[in-house]
Each structure stands twice: as C-alpha cells, then as structure tokens.
C-alpha cells in the first residue's frame, strides 16, 4: 500500500511573469537573429533571468559586459531592457556599430522625464537601488551631479539640494509601491514644492504583480517567487508577500533550487513570478510540488494585462506597420 500524498492548495497569482517590456526585449534578440543570423551581441543580460539568457545563447546570442568586447564588423549589438547611459550609444556610433536599443519604453519614459527636468533647470532626485543597471542607465542620461540617488527615507533626511524650489524626483520602475510611497512622502514633506512625474514611474507590471501577490499572501503558509536574485522586481515581490501576511516567503530561480525541508507541514502555497521569469519555470515548480503533494491549483487574478510594445523599426518585417521601405531594385 502506497503512502498517500499530503494535500496542498496552490494559489497561482495573476498577473505574474513576463511583462511587455521583457517580451519586447527577448523578441528583439530573436528577431535580430532571424534577420541577421548568428551571432548577435547583447550588452549585459537582456533581462534578469538565467534561463532566458541561456536559451538565447543557444540560439546564437553572445553576451558581453562592455562594447569593447564586441569585435569590429557589422554584427548587431543589442542594449538590455534596463537601459544604458548615453555614453554607450555614443561609443557605438563612434565605432559605426549597428545597434538596437531594447530599453523598456517605460524606462525610456523616465529617461525623458529626467532630461526634461534638467533642461528646465531642476536638480533631480532618483529613488532607486544603487548599482542596479536601470539606475546606472538613468543617472547616465545626464552630466555627473545632475541626479542624486536616494534609497530610503534616511537618505532623504540627509539630502540638501542646491535650491529646494527647483527640485524634481523620478523613480526606478521596479520598486515596491509601498516602500516608494514612504520615500515620496518624506520628499514632499521636506520639500513641499518638489515636482513629481505626471504619471507614476513604477511600471504597470511591477504594480500589478505586487497587488496580485498581496491578494494571496495572507492565506498562504508559504509564498514562492520564481525569479532571479539580481531581479529587483522579483526581490520586491518577496518583500511584499512578507509584509502582506506571509512571513515564509522566498525566491527560487527554478524547481531544482527548492529547499524541501522547509515545506514540511504546509497546506497552502502561493506562487508568483517576477516580470523576467518565463511561465515554463512556474510550471516546472508546480510539477515539482505535484510529485510530493496532492495538489489542487486555484488562479487568483487581480488584473487583466493587454499591454504590447512594438519592435524597433529596423526589425519589422516587410509589410508590418512601420517597417523600413525597401528601395526598388
């Protein structure tokens, strides 16, 4: 007689996983390979997910940290979804490189906001995490000293601007909505005339994924966030789940990383995924639990998403809207 598997209720948060910016970035690499053949070069991880990066490597993408690792020639070079400092495309132009910018349009929006504030004579505060590629790219849009990074309310308390009446703030797109709210409130209290974005900088996908994990956290014994350790939005999901009522929340890259010793006795499990984690890894995690538990799955949807971003004009196929016009032969 076989031992009966323990029952486990799995709540799948929705939306989860890939956002429109990540889909566009991956599509850019795959379309460049389709149109131009192997190899194409990608500066930094196209998105923060090892599985995605390894998959693209197998298809012919070569990942580099800096442009000086790319040999001279006409091979395409792609900039990651997180955005790059202005010095990077300038260096690419100097070398006559064929480059494609996979920066998420919502990150580009923040770049444009920063440039507009700077042109209007404002000193800029960026709410974000030091060392994150998006922060490096945003701060690199303007001359040194034009943007001051604040990571928490203590940084706000210590910050003294040149002119408190000519101050504006922008934010990294992948932050915790709740944590950022506190920092913004601290800025607005200390600097009542500070200018904020016309529309919140934190992207729709980050907000939606945080709201969806909040909706399941308090009924779960454990919440697993499928994502990469260097993915800001994935790390924020873990924090949000803990704050929303599930102290036993953790990040896993894939099923093989699950620590089964901490799963003893759980009866309810929440699963979500960061914006750069593919659904195949979520399915892999659910299947791993099916091997050890009698699993019933309930999807908890808090929002429908239908956002789509177009590919760069150079990569659109003939006949697609906005495709380059071919000269008659």
């Amino acid at each position: 007689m076989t031992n009966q598997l323990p029952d486990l209720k799995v709540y799948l948060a929705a939306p989860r996983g890939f956002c429109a910016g990540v889909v566009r970035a991956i599509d850019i690499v795959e379309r460049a390979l389709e149109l131009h053949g192997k190899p194409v070069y990608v500066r930094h991880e196209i998105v923060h997910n090892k599985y995605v990066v390894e998959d693209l490597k197998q298809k012919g993408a070569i990942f580099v940290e800096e442009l000086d690792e790319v040999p001279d020639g006409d091979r395409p070079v792609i900039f990651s979804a997180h955005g790059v400092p202005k010095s990077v495309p300038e260096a690419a132009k100097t070398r006559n490189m064929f480059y494609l910018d996979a920066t998420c349009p919502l990150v580009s929006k923040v770049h444009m906001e920063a440039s507009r504030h700077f042109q209007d004579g404002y000193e800029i505060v960026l709410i974000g995490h030091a060392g994150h590629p998006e922060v490096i790219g945003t701060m690199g849009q303007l001359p040194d000293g034009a943007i001051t990074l604040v990571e928490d309310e203590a940084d706000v308390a210590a910050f003294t601007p040149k002119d408190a009446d000519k101050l504006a703030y922008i934010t990294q797109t992948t932050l915790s909505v709740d944590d950022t709210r506190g920092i913004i409130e601290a800025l607005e209290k200390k600097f009542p005339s500070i200018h904020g974005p016309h529309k919140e900088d934190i992207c729709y996908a980050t907000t939606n994924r945080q709201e969806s994990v909040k909706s399941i956290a308090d009924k779960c014994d454990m919440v697993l966030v499928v994502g990469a350790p260097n993915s800001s939005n994935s790390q924020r999901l873990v924090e949000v789940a803990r704050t929303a009522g599930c102290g036993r929340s953790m990040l896993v890259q894939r099923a093989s990383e699950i620590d089964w010793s901490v799963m003893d006795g759980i009866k309810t499990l929440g699963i979500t995924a960061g914006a750069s984690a593919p659904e195949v890894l979520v399915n892999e995690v659910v299947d791993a639990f099916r091997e050890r538990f009698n699993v019933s799955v309930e999807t908890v949807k808090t929002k429908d998403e239908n956002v789509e971003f177009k590919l760069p004009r150079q990569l659109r196929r003939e006949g697609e809207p906005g495709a380059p016009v071919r000269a008659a032969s």
Side-chain angles (χ1 to χ4, degrees):
M1 184 173 172
T2 57
N3 291 329
Q4 190 173 356
L5 296 175
D7 291 337
L8 179 67
K9 181 64 177 280
V10 171
Y11 294 100
L12 272 181
R16 64 180 177 273
F18 279 179
C19 63
V22 165
V23 170
R24 176 180 179 269
I26 295 168
D27 284 351
I28 285 173
V29 179
E30 293 182 337
R31 183 68 68 90
L33 284 163
E34 176 192 325
L35 295 179
H36 300 283
K38 304 177 188 178
V40 301
Y41 291 87
V42 185
R43 184 185 179 276
H44 288 340
E45 290 186 340
I46 187 70
V47 296
H48 282 157
N49 189 274
K50 186 177 179 181
Y51 179 93
V52 171
V53 169
E54 290 302 318
D55 182 60
L56 292 173
K57 280 182 182 177
Q58 290 176 11
K59 292 175 179 176
I62 296 175
F63 289 83
V64 299
E65 287 303 304
E66 298 299 342
L67 293 184
D68 57 15
E69 298 171 52
V70 180
D72 290 332
D74 60 357
R75 302 313 304 157
V77 181
I78 299 167
F79 304 150
S80 81
H82 309 103
V84 294
K86 271 191 172 175
S87 58
V88 174
E90 287 168 359
K93 286 176 188 172
T94 301
R95 287 184 57 190
N96 294 317
M97 287 179 162
F98 169 41
Y99 69 86
L100 297 160
D101 190 353
T103 300
C104 172
L106 299 178
V107 174
S108 297
K109 166 188 166 285
V110 176
H111 292 180
M112 289 186 282
E113 283 174 357
S115 297
R116 188 179 67 250
H117 287 315
F118 182 70
Q119 289 164 6
D120 291 342
Y122 286 85
E123 186 176 355
I124 300 160
V125 174
L126 169 61
I127 302 169
H129 294 296
H132 189 276
E134 184 184 328
V135 166
I136 293 168
T138 299
M139 296 187 76
Q141 300 303 302
L142 299 174
D144 288 348
I147 300 178
T148 299
L149 179 68
V150 298
E151 297 191 78
D152 51 33
E153 291 171 44
D155 286 348
V156 174
F159 172 59
T160 303
K162 299 181 185 71
D163 181 353
D165 292 325
K166 292 288 283 183
L167 197 60
Y169 75 84
I170 54 178
T171 77
Q172 183 180 333
T173 64
T174 54
L175 300 177
S176 159
V177 176
D178 295 331
D179 289 349
T180 308
R181 188 179 295 119
I183 299 170
I184 291 170
E185 286 173 358
L187 281 169
E188 290 176 340
K189 184 177 179 182
K190 187 174 180 182
F191 310 109
S193 60
I194 193 169
H195 284 249
H198 293 301
K199 188 179 178 187
E200 188 176 80
D201 287 337
I202 295 175
C203 88
Y204 79 94
T206 298
T207 302
N208 291 349
R209 278 146 192 72
Q210 289 177 16
E211 289 301 318
S212 71
V213 84
K214 282 180 188 177
S215 74
I216 63 171
D218 64 354
K219 50 189 169 191
C220 294
D221 298 326
M222 170 78 73
V223 170
L224 292 184
V225 177
V226 181
N230 59 341
S231 165
S232 174
N233 76 84
S234 299
Q235 292 284 9
R236 303 295 78 73
L237 284 172
V238 176
E239 294 169 5
V240 168
R242 288 173 180 164
T243 304
C246 186
R248 296 169 71 192
S249 300
M250 65 180 67
L251 188 77
V252 293
Q253 294 200 73
R254 55 190 315 174
S256 58
E257 284 189 3
I258 296 171
D259 179 358
W260 295 104
S261 68
V262 301
M263 301 297 169
D264 285 346
I266 67 166
K267 298 196 173 354
T268 53
L269 172 72
I271 299 177
T272 188
S276 49
E279 186 67 6
V280 64
L281 299 186
V282 174
N283 294 336
E284 181 184 276
V285 167
V286 173
D287 288 344
F289 276 91
R290 288 190 193 281
E291 291 175 6
R292 295 164 175 83
F293 294 86
N294 176 34
V295 171
S296 63
V297 176
E298 179 182 336
T299 297
V300 181
K301 181 184 282 190
T302 53
K303 198 99 171 181
D304 287 313
E305 289 183 350
N306 53 12
V307 180
E308 193 174 321
F309 296 134
K310 292 185 173 72
L311 293 179
R313 188 169 175 268
Q314 309 100 300
L315 291 180
R316 294 179 204 170
R317 296 189 186 96
E318 196 167 351
E320 288 182 342
V325 177
R326 313 287 182 203
S329 54

